[in-house]
């Protein structure tokens, strides 16, 4: 497969490589980040996580998806984000086959990530296919939070939400996501106005605070798993509930880095399901109004 992709015309590879800054191959993780609606250009709040991950995975590189992240022009913006993320991933995987990639996204950026990886959500959004196997062989972690196309009750869901998000996701796209379940974590809490179609705007802004450490641990452990087995891709974790190892701080000084050591132990617990129903039903009417309002604002 690699031989095939490498046999593309040289001029095409050069073109692809020169059109992005991603010409050097990161020894650690290449982290592709899509920010949320209206966050200033760059990585947005997700940069908090990628800087922590980079501190634990020496030789990592962080690149922000260059797209509008516009709220008022959501559909076009989101579509631009998917194209830009796809190009980053294709270019990097082609230039640096076998090097490890993590994809992170918040809010609109979470939808960008899901549409890019699993294929488009479908009308009114793109229905384009997800990334090729060649690229996905290198993607060791997809960590998103507050996705407006969140699908409830998937094994890769984290957080308390049991509702679908504001926008539908096509069943074909959901099937592709399921096939990558061991590499995905999608955080959504009850009440989130977008991913839970709820009525509490505060919830949408609390993921870093609530789950930042978990997300960092997940991405770091996925990287470690992929490199420790020595079997190349090594992304076929057997269960989605595998304990996320905690990682001791790495010391990095003057290019001298120690390999992170695992101390083991589950750090995540499933909080989905019981207990939330009384709260969610009381939020439902408000949630419906919010959905209608938000849809009319967005579309
Ligand atoms: C990241 O989040 C933590 C916890 O909220 C906060 O203490 C820290 O200042 C943040 N760091 C950055 C770079 O935003
Ligand atoms: C998810 O599962 C919960 C508990 O089984 C259920 O109440 C809820 O309706 C499900 N959500 C969706 C969108 O199917
Ligand atoms: C989502 O899909 C359902 C069922 O197909 C449909 O009734 C609903 O209008 C769709 N919602 C949106 C926001 O497109
Ligand atoms: C919204 O969520 C926040 C965070 O969980 C909570 O503190 C607040 O009470 C909630 N507001 C409403 C109106 O439920
Ligand atoms: C994971 O990969 C190894 C080596 O390729 C293989 O033996 C094993 O069956 C795979 N496990 C799963 C669950 O696919
Ligand atoms: C790395 O640390 C070890 C042990 O402290 C030391 O012997 C070695 O010279 C260091 N290497 C570099 C490149 O600094």
């Amino acid at each position: 497969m690699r031989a095939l992709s490498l046999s593309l015309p040289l001029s095409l590879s050069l073109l692809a490589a020169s059109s992005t800054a991603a010409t050097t191959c990161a020894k650690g993780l290449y982290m592709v980040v899509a920010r949320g609606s209206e966050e200033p250009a760059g990585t947005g709040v997700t940069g908090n996580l990628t800087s922590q991950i980079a501190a634990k995975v020496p030789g990592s590189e962080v690149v922000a998806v260059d797209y509008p992240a516009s709220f008022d022009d959501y559909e076009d913006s989101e579509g631009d984000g998917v194209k830009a993320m796809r190009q980053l991933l294709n270019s990097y995987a082609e230039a640096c086959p076998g090097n490890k990639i993590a994809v992170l996204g918040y809010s609109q950026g979470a939808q960008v990530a899901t549409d890019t990886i699993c294929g488009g959500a479908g009308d009114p959004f793109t229905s384009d296919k997800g990334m090729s196997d060649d690229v996905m062989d290198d993607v060791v972690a997809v960590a998103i939070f507050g996705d407006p196309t969140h699908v409830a009750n998937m094994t890769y869901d984290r957080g308390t939400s049991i509702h679908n998000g504001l926008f539908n996701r096509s069943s074909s796209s959901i099937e592709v996501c399921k096939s990558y379940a061991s590499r995905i974590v999608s955080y959504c809490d009850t009440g989130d106005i977008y991913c839970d179609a709820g009525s509490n705007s505060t919830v949408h802004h609390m993921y870093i605070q609530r789950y930042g450490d978990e997300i960092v641990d997940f991405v770091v452990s996925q990287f470690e798993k992929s490199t420790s087995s020595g079997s190349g891709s090594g992304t076929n974790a057997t269960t989605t509930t595998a304990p996320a190892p905690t990682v001791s701080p790495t010391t990095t000084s003057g290019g001298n880095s120690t390999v992170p050591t695992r101390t083991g132990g589950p750090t995540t617990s499933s909080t989905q399901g019981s207990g939330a129903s009384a709260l969610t039903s009381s939020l439902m009417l408000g949630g419906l109004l919010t959905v209608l309002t938000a849809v009319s604002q967005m579309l």
Side-chain angles (χ1 to χ4, degrees):
M1 276 188 289
R2 286 296 170 202
L4 193 62
S5 68
L6 287 173
S7 71
L8 282 169
L10 184 60
S11 57
L12 186 60
S13 330
L14 287 175
L15 188 65
S18 64
S19 64
T20 73
T23 49
T24 55
C25 297
K27 190 163 60 70
L29 274 170
Y30 182 69
M31 286 181 266
V32 176
V33 179
R35 71 192 190 281
S37 300
E38 303 300 334
E39 288 194 294
T43 53
V45 295
T46 311
N48 188 317
L49 306 182
T50 51
S51 59
Q52 292 184 60
I53 295 164
K56 294 182 173 190
V57 180
S60 292
E61 187 186 342
V62 180
V63 57
V65 175
D66 183 8
Y67 86 116
S70 153
F71 185 84
D72 292 336
D73 196 11
Y74 188 92
E75 279 172 50
D76 287 343
S77 167
E78 200 274 335
D80 286 351
V82 172
K83 284 185 198 127
M85 180 180 274
R86 188 187 297 141
Q87 196 193 345
L88 284 173
L89 295 176
N90 278 330
S91 299
Y92 189 75
E94 188 178 337
C96 309
N99 289 47
K100 306 305 176 194
I101 299 170
V103 173
L104 297 97
Y106 168 47
S107 195
Q108 181 175 169
Q111 183 181 348
V112 166
T114 315
D115 281 4
T116 305
I117 298 295
C118 302
D123 188 41
F125 302 103
T126 173
S127 299
D128 290 352
K129 279 196 188 340
M131 300 306 299
S132 69
D133 290 346
D134 268 4
V135 173
M136 290 309 295
D137 282 349
D138 296 339
V139 175
V140 299
V142 178
I144 58 174
F145 41 110
D147 181 357
T149 60
H150 165 251
V151 180
N153 300 331
M154 298 291 107
T155 59
Y156 53 81
D157 282 335
R158 300 291 184 275
T160 57
S161 170
I162 55 167
H163 299 125
N164 290 338
L166 198 53
F167 301 129
N168 291 328
R169 172 160 295 284
S170 73
S171 52
S172 57
S173 170
I174 294 170
E175 289 308 310
V176 176
C177 279
K178 283 181 182 170
S179 73
Y180 300 137
S182 63
R183 287 180 257 174
I184 300 176
V185 288
S186 174
Y187 285 83
C188 181
D189 276 341
T190 299
D192 185 309
I193 51 175
Y194 302 117
C195 67
D196 189 62
S199 59
N200 188 330
S201 58
T202 306
V203 173
H204 192 62
H205 299 286
M206 296 195 66
Y207 295 105
I208 302 279
Q209 189 183 322
R210 282 179 172 167
Y211 304 113
D213 291 348
E214 263 182 47
I215 295 171
V216 169
D217 286 349
F218 173 77
V219 175
V220 171
S221 74
Q222 285 295 104
F223 175 78
E224 289 181 344
K225 264 193 274 179
S226 74
T227 53
S228 62
S229 64
S231 67
S233 105
T235 47
N236 66 339
T238 50
T239 67
T240 55
T241 52
T246 54
V247 176
S248 71
T250 60
T251 55
T252 325
S253 54
N256 200 348
S257 58
T258 59
V259 177
T261 41
R262 295 174 187 222
T263 55
T267 56
T268 59
S269 59
S270 173
T271 52
Q272 267 183 223
S274 63
S277 53
L279 177 61
T280 55
S281 59
S282 73
L283 286 171
M284 223 135 72
L285 184 59
L288 187 60
L289 290 171
T290 310
V291 171
L292 294 173
T293 311
V295 166
S296 66
Q297 278 171 353
M298 282 184 174
L299 302 182

